[in-house]
Amino acid sequence: MIAACALWREPKLCTTVIALSGRLSGRRSWSLLKAIRIDERLKLIPVVVLTSSQEEKDKIRSYTLGVNAYVVKPGDFHEFINAVKELGVFRASINEPPLGSMK
């Protein structure tokens, strides 16, 4: 929650993507995602869920609440690092966000 509090104070300092880690079954995680999507300063920042959950209900709820990507973390550390790098490449060079949001 410390990172979330810092995000609310100065969201435009360096936030180009918000990564939520872990299973989103906890009430706080869902509440955080809802709050991000209604906050005028944060709602255009892409949210990526990095999780070990492959449960369809978690995927559906995440997309319903406005995530931009749902990534199931690979079990192997090196595969995980490659997945994060691929997300970075996508964000930095392929994705075209709307005007007013951060690239």
Side-chain angles (χ1 to χ4, degrees):
M1 274 313 194
I2 294 171
C5 292
L7 187 61
W8 259 271
R9 283 194 299 269
E10 291 295 334
K12 292 196 175 200
L13 283 180
C14 62
T15 308
T16 59
V17 66
I18 299 169
L20 295 179
S21 181
R23 285 185 65 106
L24 286 178
S25 58
R27 185 177 169 140
R28 284 186 177 176
S29 297
W30 296 119
S31 297
L32 178 59
L33 184 52
K34 288 177 187 176
I36 288 168
R37 286 301 175 225
I38 62 171
D39 189 292
E40 287 298 316
R41 300 164 298 164
L42 303 175
K43 69 182 184 180
L44 292 180
I45 298 173
V47 175
V48 176
V49 172
L50 296 167
T51 183
S52 59
S53 174
Q54 295 181 341
E55 294 189 35
E56 195 65 19
K57 66 179 181 158
D58 290 339
K59 294 176 192 176
I60 291 169
R61 186 153 190 199
S62 295
Y63 279 104
T64 300
L65 292 174
V67 300
N68 299 89
Y70 188 96
V71 178
V72 176
K73 293 186 267 187
D76 178 73
F77 178 73
H78 296 291
E79 289 178 17
F80 173 70
I81 294 300
N82 285 335
V84 171
K85 285 180 184 177
E86 288 178 24
L87 280 171
V89 168
F90 171 76
R91 244 338 260 149
S93 60
I94 299 170
N95 185 50
E96 293 192 23
L99 293 174
S101 67
M102 300 189 73
K103 177 139 172 118

